[in-house]
Amino acid sequence: MNAHIAPQANVLSIQQLSKQYGSRFAVNQATWSATRGQIICLLGHSGCGKTTMLRLIAGLETPSSGSIQLEHNILWNAQQQIPAEDRNIGLVFQDYALFPHLSVLENVMFGLKKLPKQQRQSIAEQALKHVSMHHHLHSYPYTLSGGEQQRVALARALAPKPYVLLMDEPFSNLDHRLRDQIRQSTIDVLKKTATTTIIVTHDPEEALQIADQIILMHQGKIIQIGTPKQLYLQPKTLFAARYFSALNEIPTQRLGHQLTTLFGTVPVSQHLSDTQQPIQCCFRPHQFDVFSEPTKEGLVAKVISSSFMGHTQLLRLQLDTIDTPLLAQVDHQQNFAEQEQVYVSVDLSTCFFYTSDEHINTDNVLTEQTLQV
């Protein structure tokens, strides 16, 4: 007999949260939650509201309306407001904000003032061991690399055992190769300590790699919430599809219950059946099939340019039947040359179909007029 598994309780619950500056909403009616040990990425372009959301949770900004609840405690609503220093929420800033006149150990001990000194030191040393920085106990921040400073900031935030850890673009100041390494070691620590973590990032690749759940935002609104696979493979809107990679977009004709494209025909989804707006077919460069020899479904195209990307090759292709060049990502061993004639096709069952009037107006972005086919 299968045992019944109760759903995990939410550690953090955000309900209808808004922050308004005059007539502009930095955060607009946001509702989401995080369970214990979950890593949530707030993702979006600069100015989308993700850092404001983080500051509202931390208590560094005051909401205009809505509620923030931490386990069974209301941190903020119209009737109750808990100040930032009493929320037991950890915060790692983009610049790490280490005190230059304090040693690594003293920096980590700083947030443990209410405890006896010996206990503070013991907890701080343990936190530094977690992030492999115990050997730098008596070093000062200016002697450390960017990656080492990031780990000290993480240890300082984790030492008080916060209910929730908030991280604002924590890896953006690191160079590319070091960023991958430090990011993975950070995620390992967060998973090992089962720390519920909210990470702000504008980098879709980073969010896909580290998040259990992604919250994609635009102009203060939540566009879509889901796992990395859901947002990448099942984007609900054109904005969501575009955010995670380059996107080929081709015209689509609607004839009765069929959608007709350059590459064939598919049935109209029921979610698009009532719209009178033009529809377009979208697909990512890696979904393109490119061949040197003619195929049954293949259309003739010319290679305009070819860029070597390491394990892949990025082609810009021109078809006779469409003005805009299309992008194809193929294995580097296929080795197509510029001006070469090739034959291309795409599996329409893996494509996305959206109404083509969606100009990122988020008043309409959640009407679900879009669907993956």
Side-chain angles (χ1 to χ4, degrees), residues 184-258:
Q184 188 55 57
S185 64
T186 299
I187 298 307
D188 291 344
V189 170
L190 296 175
K191 289 297 185 182
K192 185 176 181 180
T193 56
T195 303
T196 305
T197 308
I198 317 300
I199 299 178
V200 161
T201 182
H202 65 276
D203 184 345
E205 184 177 324
E206 180 168 273
L208 291 172
Q209 288 179 9
I210 68 178
D212 298 311
Q213 291 278 315
I214 294 173
I215 299 173
L216 179 63
M217 297 184 65
H218 181 68
Q219 294 181 352
K221 287 191 174 184
I222 292 175
I223 303 300
Q224 187 173 348
I225 299 176
T227 65
K229 280 188 176 181
Q230 286 170 334
L231 266 80
Y232 189 83
L233 299 176
Q234 299 172 320
K236 289 183 178 179
T237 66
L238 183 56
F239 177 83
R242 284 172 174 167
Y243 200 91
F244 288 93
S245 78
L247 203 64
N248 292 308
E249 302 174 30
I250 61 174
T252 300
Q253 299 296 320
R254 179 172 177 170
L255 299 172
H257 299 293
Q258 298 289 316

Side-chain angles (χ1 to χ4, degrees), residues 12 32 34 37-44 48-51 53-55 57 90-94 150 154 164-172 179 182-191 195-203 206-217:
L12 181 68
W32 56 275
Q38 203 173 31
I39 295 176
I40 305 279
C41 274
L42 298 175
L43 176 67
C48 73
K50 56 190 187 297
T51 294
M53 181 95 75
L54 212 69
R55 293 176 63 83
I57 297 167
L91 186 58
V92 176
F93 294 96
Q94 185 173 356
Q150 199 272 349
L154 177 62
V164 173
L165 178 63
L166 309 177
M167 306 182 78
D168 188 3
E169 300 272 9
F171 313 110
S172 61
R179 182 165 64 240
I182 296 298
R183 183 168 58 205
Q184 188 55 57
S185 64
T186 299
I187 298 307
D188 291 344
V189 170
L190 296 175
K191 289 297 185 182
T195 303
T196 305
T197 308
I198 317 300
I199 299 178
V200 161
T201 182
H202 65 276
D203 184 345
E206 180 168 273
L208 291 172
Q209 288 179 9
I210 68 178
D212 298 311
Q213 291 278 315
I214 294 173
I215 299 173
L216 179 63
M217 297 184 65

Side-chain angles (χ1 to χ4, degrees), residues 336-348:
F336 295 106
E338 291 183 14
Q339 301 304 310
E340 182 177 346
Q341 181 172 292
V342 294
Y343 302 86
V344 298
S345 62
V346 65
D347 181 355
L348 291 178

Side-chain angles (χ1 to χ4, degrees), residues 147-162:
E148 289 168 337
Q149 290 183 37
Q150 199 272 349
R151 283 187 278 166
V152 174
L154 177 62
R156 184 178 62 183
L158 290 176
K161 293 185 167 52

Side-chain angles (χ1 to χ4, degrees), residues 70-102:
L70 191 60
E71 293 189 334
H72 301 296
N73 301 315
I74 298 293
L75 297 185
W76 196 95
N77 65 13
Q79 293 75 41
Q80 179 171 318
Q81 295 87 38
I82 303 297
E85 61 270 19
D86 295 329
R87 295 189 178 191
N88 194 22
I89 289 177
L91 186 58
V92 176
F93 294 96
Q94 185 173 356
D95 62 359
Y96 314 139
L98 298 176
F99 299 109
H101 64 289
L102 299 181

